[in-house]
Amino acid sequence: MSLPHEAEVVERIEETSTIFTLRLRFTDPVIRGQYRFIPGQFNMLYLYGVGEIPISIVSDPLDAHMLDHTIRNVGRVTAGFAQLKAGDRIGVRGPFGRGWPMQQAEGKNVVVITGGLGCAPVVSVIHYVLRRREQFHRLIIMQGVKHGDDLIWREQYEAWSKLPDTQVLLAADQGGPLWPWRVGNVSMLFDEAHLNGYESVVMMCGPEGMMLASIPELRKRGVADEHIWLSMERNMQCGAGKCGHCQHGGHFVCKDGPVFALPDIAPLLGVRGF
Amino acid sequence: MQPRFLPRAHLSTLLEKLHANGFITVAPQLIDDAILYRPIESVDKLPHGVSVEQQPGSYRILHHDDQRCFAWANGPQALKPLTFLPEETLWQARRDAQGSLVFDAPSRPPKPIAVLGVRSCDIAAHQLQHAHFLGGVTRDEAFDAHQAALFIIAVNCSHPAATCFCASTGDGPSCSGGYDLLLDELDEGFVVQSGSARGASLLAELPLQALTPGQSDATAAQRQQAAAVQSRRLPSRNLRAALFASLDHPRWQSVAERCLACGNCTSVCPTCFCHSEHDEAEMSGEASKHLRRWDSCFTTGHSYIHGVVIRASIAQRYRQWLTHKLGSWHDQYGRSGCVGCGRCIAWCPVGIDITEEATAICGEVAS
């Protein structure tokens, strides 16, 4: 197994009361220069003496010298990361896994569908498309959250919604005051996305229930299964397909995924216990 | 080379030659009422006159007035703990005086180990572990270091247990490769042959005799008998389709009512590779080890992810284990992950029998 490399926390950005972004930079300039990743890949982040967890990279590949990781404070290691401040040192191994099919998406609509904090692995896709706008057709961003207050990067969504050929469709199960978008779940947004008649590549991330509900809506609107991509989440401890925790049928999600084309994982998708 | 004969009195010479060639020899011994593989200094420590009776949920040692020392099928472990260690440090982190983190790889100086008495099922399992840890993009350095130093002296299984079904998985009872030396035990000594250049050069140092036609016939008969006595079997060598077509079979629930989710089966399974990673900081705070330990898909922690357990019920965990072992292993490594050693049957505290469960779920699929 490769050793972690030391990285410095350049900044810790508070997104909500429980969600924060660590902006990291390798301290070794040689590593910084060699490091490459594609959107959808993840790193194993190591907190000294505490543990190591997989976190997807949300920043743009062109900024590989500065790696952003958006983290929700839910466990022992993330609680430790939440305490870090600029200048602190952690370990980083990676990148791991198969990322989003950015080449397949060239010249087509890019449809990003997320739920909950699922937006983190696809935010890198949004940045990627916006930075190379001429390579893609329309950008459609669909996001569902439980409560309006759970939406992070709200200003960003508002800014994206004003860009040409970019559509932002948001839904919250409970909107709350000052929620300007839809109340309900993601599947109610499809009619507004106007996918019929265009070739679209869909990139989904978030709760499996949300992804399962979206698939028939996409098929109804003519999106081919091979153009529907999902990022899967499972327990990952090694990142190299050895420790066995992330198995989903015959796939090791950490190395065969985390991004899969729908036909590759369809047989077990939504089967409880896998 | 042609098989030759090593008189029983010269088994000690084999041990001496291994020692002279720099090997630590690990061999089966009777410890705590089980056959365990441990470092050995003298052939006297081998389990002479010992046989083992295995049944679902039962492993019992029997003593006989007999010279044979390999007249039993297996113990709870063999090669796996030597190459995939139950616990092992993967790397160590320390803070230097400037507050920087420094990561060090553990040094693994070569420690040549000769293992005497390896069964065909365990060689097959070792090859599967080899495919898992060393195949694909990432080589597991720890496994690689340990396996590179192994010298395997196989002994064909002459006394399969009632729990054994290697003949049905195609992994035994006689070895077809993967060894440096191969022995068949007869009353008066051993029929020996080499399977590698290292094995051949070691054999050249031994006082071997020509094999008599009687010894040759006795060996063939013993091999045939060892296959013939096995009564358990899996319905097919490839149950992938049958298992994944039966994910809602009521048997998953009925086996879950018996299964304690203790993880004994995964601990004794020679192919199970799951491990968890942990960090242990020194009390001084100056260094912290990142290590791995064997893990089991029968624990709730195995499928835990940010507040959710994917396999909360025992039925889901047993189904994960069996559909992986006999099903999705085909996707990963081109064959079943079961070598028919029967350990999961004998060491299960409630005697759950993988052949019985697989047959109940898949039916009698033609092989």
Side-chain angles (χ1 to χ4, degrees):
Chain A
M1 179 186 289
S2 59
L3 294 177
H5 295 292
E6 186 196 49
E8 179 187 11
V9 177
V10 178
E11 193 182 355
R12 189 177 69 82
I13 304 154
E14 193 103 352
E15 309 286 2
T16 72
S17 60
T18 56
I19 299 168
F20 56 96
T21 297
L22 290 183
R23 177 158 289 178
L24 303 172
R25 182 174 55 198
F26 287 112
T27 51
D28 182 342
V30 177
I31 300 299
R32 215 182 300 155
Q34 289 170 348
Y35 187 92
R36 296 280 182 282
F37 75 95
I38 56 171
Q41 287 191 301
F42 65 94
N43 282 319
M44 296 297 298
L45 303 187
Y46 166 73
L47 183 61
Y48 178 75
V50 181
E52 208 186 24
I53 49 168
I55 302 288
S56 54
I57 310 162
V58 296
S59 46
D60 191 275
L62 287 180
D63 302 326
H65 58 284
M66 202 71 87
L67 301 164
D68 290 358
H69 297 79
T70 297
I71 301 168
R72 188 155 60 99
N73 183 349
V74 281
R76 208 167 47 90
V77 182
T78 51
F81 281 135
Q83 306 298 316
L84 295 180
K85 49 195 188 305
D88 287 339
R89 310 293 173 93
I90 69 167
V92 177
R93 286 193 297 134
F96 293 109
R98 186 170 64 161
W100 296 106
M102 299 317 300
Q103 286 180 344
Q104 187 197 64
E106 281 182 20
K108 303 187 179 78
N109 291 335
V110 175
V111 183
V112 166
I113 306 175
T114 66
L117 189 59
C119 54
V122 289
V123 160
S124 58
V125 170
I126 298 171
H127 289 307
Y128 187 97
V129 170
L130 292 176
R131 202 149 165 173
R132 301 157 185 82
R133 199 64 196 81
E134 71 292 347
Q135 294 175 21
F136 302 92
H137 201 53
R138 291 169 57 215
L139 172 63
I140 301 151
I141 300 165
M142 299 164 69
Q143 157 113 18
V145 289
K146 276 190 200 135
H147 192 279
D149 293 345
D150 295 340
L151 183 71
I152 63 171
W153 299 314
R154 186 167 180 150
E155 294 78 14
Q156 275 205 312
Y157 282 99
E158 282 166 1
W160 291 332
S161 69
K162 297 188 176 79
L163 297 174
D165 292 327
T166 304
Q167 201 176 1
V168 173
L169 299 167
L170 303 177
D173 292 338
Q174 294 171 276
L178 303 177
W179 177 254
W181 294 287
R182 297 282 173 185
V183 175
N185 59 35
V186 174
S187 49
M188 70 187 297
L189 301 171
F190 284 90
D191 279 337
E192 296 175 57
H194 304 297
L195 298 178
N196 286 321
Y198 297 96
E199 236 197 326
S200 298
V201 171
V202 177
M203 308 187 197
M204 286 200 278
C205 191
E208 283 172 37
M210 181 277 293
M211 298 199 280
L212 282 164
S214 300
I215 290 166
E217 300 292 336
L218 291 165
R219 285 176 176 156
K220 248 189 271 177
R221 290 162 179 82
V223 180
D225 281 9
E226 304 78 66
H227 287 177
I228 300 176
W229 296 78
L230 306 87
S231 182
M232 299 290 287
E233 270 190 289
R234 286 294 180 272
N235 185 335
M236 294 178 191
Q237 302 190 15
C238 70
K242 307 296 181 195
C243 81
H245 294 90
C246 70
Q247 289 178 90
H248 184 258
H251 293 300
F252 292 94
V253 172
C254 74
K255 75 174 171 74
D256 303 329
V259 173
F260 292 96
L262 176 57
D264 287 345
I265 51 163
L268 287 179
L269 188 66
V271 180
R272 290 176 72 89
F274 284 95
Chain B
M1 67 164 265
Q2 287 297 309
R4 307 261 290 164
F5 186 73
L6 179 72
R8 185 166 289 281
H10 280 298
L11 189 60
S12 56
T13 314
L14 172 62
L15 233 56
E16 286 160 20
K17 296 295 179 193
L18 288 167
H19 187 72
N21 280 278
F23 286 105
I24 296 164
T25 302
V26 167
Q29 295 161 60
L30 185 59
I31 298 169
D32 295 339
D33 286 333
I35 302 281
L36 304 181
Y37 287 70
R38 294 286 184 270
I40 198 166
E41 299 295 333
S42 152
V43 290
D44 297 342
K45 296 280 190 191
L46 291 168
H48 292 276
V50 169
S51 71
V52 178
E53 191 183 271
Q54 301 191 51
Q55 292 292 342
S58 170
Y59 184 95
R60 297 288 179 272
I61 296 289
L62 302 172
H63 295 274
H64 309 270
D65 186 16
D66 187 343
Q67 278 298 295
R68 291 209 182 202
C69 37
F70 299 99
W72 39 269
N74 54 26
Q77 307 284 352
L79 289 180
K80 186 169 98 168
L82 299 172
T83 47
F84 170 35
L85 276 51
E87 179 175 303
E88 172 150 31
T89 298
L90 298 176
W91 37 266
Q92 178 163 307
R94 60 191 160 83
R95 272 194 222 270
D96 71 8
Q98 286 73 45
S100 289
L101 286 184
V102 182
F103 296 93
D104 302 310
S107 74
R108 296 189 184 91
K111 195 169 75 173
I113 293 177
V115 190
L116 172 62
V118 181
R119 300 307 195 189
S120 185
C121 55
D122 287 315
I123 290 175
H126 179 64
Q127 287 168 340
L128 276 171
Q129 289 245 311
H130 198 283
H132 172 70
F133 284 108
L134 302 182
V137 180
T138 315
R139 284 177 80 79
D140 186 272
E141 289 158 20
F143 182 91
D144 200 13
H146 303 312
Q147 67 88 26
L150 272 194
F151 184 88
I152 294 178
I153 305 165
V155 179
N156 277 333
C157 189
S158 53
H159 291 69
T163 44
C164 291
F165 55 100
C166 64
S168 95
T169 65
D171 297 304
S174 296
C175 298
S176 55
Y179 52 79
D180 294 291
L181 289 180
L182 175 63
L183 277 56
D184 283 274
E185 184 178 36
L186 301 177
D187 287 337
E188 66 274 27
F190 301 89
V191 178
V192 297
Q193 53 194 308
S194 65
S196 70
R198 292 194 305 170
S201 63
L202 194 88
L203 279 195
E205 299 181 40
L206 295 178
L208 301 180
Q209 301 171 0
L211 201 62
T212 67
Q215 288 163 340
S216 184
D217 291 348
T219 304
Q222 183 167 279
R223 289 181 180 188
Q224 206 175 7
Q225 171 74 1
V229 296
Q230 295 185 17
S231 57
R232 281 190 161 75
R233 58 185 287 273
L234 283 173
S236 160
R237 287 184 192 171
N238 190 346
L239 293 169
R240 189 193 180 287
L243 282 167
F244 282 101
S246 312
L247 297 180
D248 297 320
H249 199 288
R251 187 78 180 194
W252 300 117
Q253 202 50 52
S254 95
V255 68
E257 286 163 13
R258 289 169 278 142
C259 175
L260 307 175
C262 68
N264 264 20
C265 51
T266 57
S267 290
V268 296
C269 177
T271 68
C272 273
F273 51 69
C274 283
H275 56 270
S276 54
E277 299 194 6
H278 303 268
D279 292 271
E280 280 183 8
E282 282 180 12
M283 291 299 280
S284 68
E286 284 166 6
S288 182
K289 277 183 195 164
H290 186 76
L291 40 87
R292 73 171 169 208
R293 288 188 197 116
W294 286 1
D295 197 3
S296 170
C297 55
F298 282 90
T299 67
T300 49
H302 190 276
S303 64
Y304 175 86
I305 179 163
H306 54 63
V308 180
V309 174
I310 305 266
R311 289 180 280 280
S313 75
I314 294 180
Q316 289 170 334
R317 284 177 252 154
Y318 189 87
R319 189 181 65 176
Q320 168 65 26
W321 180 68
L322 199 71
T323 56
H324 178 224
K325 188 69 62 189
L326 303 180
S328 44
W329 211 292
H330 287 273
D331 303 354
Q332 295 169 342
Y333 303 110
R335 59 154 292 175
S336 151
C338 177
V339 296
C341 72
R343 288 185 174 98
C344 59
I345 304 173
W347 294 94
C348 174
V350 295
I352 293 170
D353 177 348
I354 186 174
T355 63
E356 191 183 324
E357 299 309 321
T359 304
I361 290 160
C362 303
E364 278 290 331
V365 184
S367 48

